[in-house]
Amino acid sequence: ISFTSSSTFNGSNSSGIGRAKYIGTIEATQDGGEDIFFSTDSADIFVGDNGTCQFLVEQLAGTYNFTITATSASDIASQNITVTVV
């Protein structure tokens, strides 16, 4: 598995407390066309199976780091992600 998306994103907490805010899409490729599923080590991030990444906007302005893991039937890979909230 190879990540093809950026490892840095910018977010805003202007949507209000308790709402998720779309920040970007995590993309990865797998030789052989196997399906890829994404997960994260952070409760502040939601990543859908299609790689859509949402950040919970109740977070204060600052920089947040987490790891995205991409898993297929034959491989696994991780990428460190940085989100800057303004």
Side-chain angles (χ1 to χ4, degrees):
I1 296 176
S2 298
F3 284 90
T4 57
S5 56
S6 177
S7 63
T8 59
F9 294 90
N10 293 314
S12 169
N13 63 356
S14 63
S15 294
I17 300 298
R19 295 184 184 197
K21 171 110 175 154
Y22 171 80
I23 60 165
T25 301
I26 304 296
E27 297 174 340
T29 60
Q30 167 69 38
D31 291 339
E34 295 175 355
D35 289 337
I36 298 173
F37 300 94
F38 297 93
S39 61
T40 180
D41 65 348
S42 174
D44 297 325
I45 301 293
F46 169 78
V47 181
D49 285 340
N50 64 356
T52 300
C53 190
Q54 293 182 332
F55 185 72
L56 300 181
V57 296
E58 66 262 16
Q59 300 304 311
L60 300 175
T63 300
Y64 299 87
N65 298 295
F66 62 97
T67 301
I68 294 287
T69 300
T71 306
S72 71
S74 64
D75 200 5
I76 187 168
S78 295
Q79 180 175 358
N80 293 325
I81 303 291
T82 300
V83 176
T84 301
V85 176
V86 294

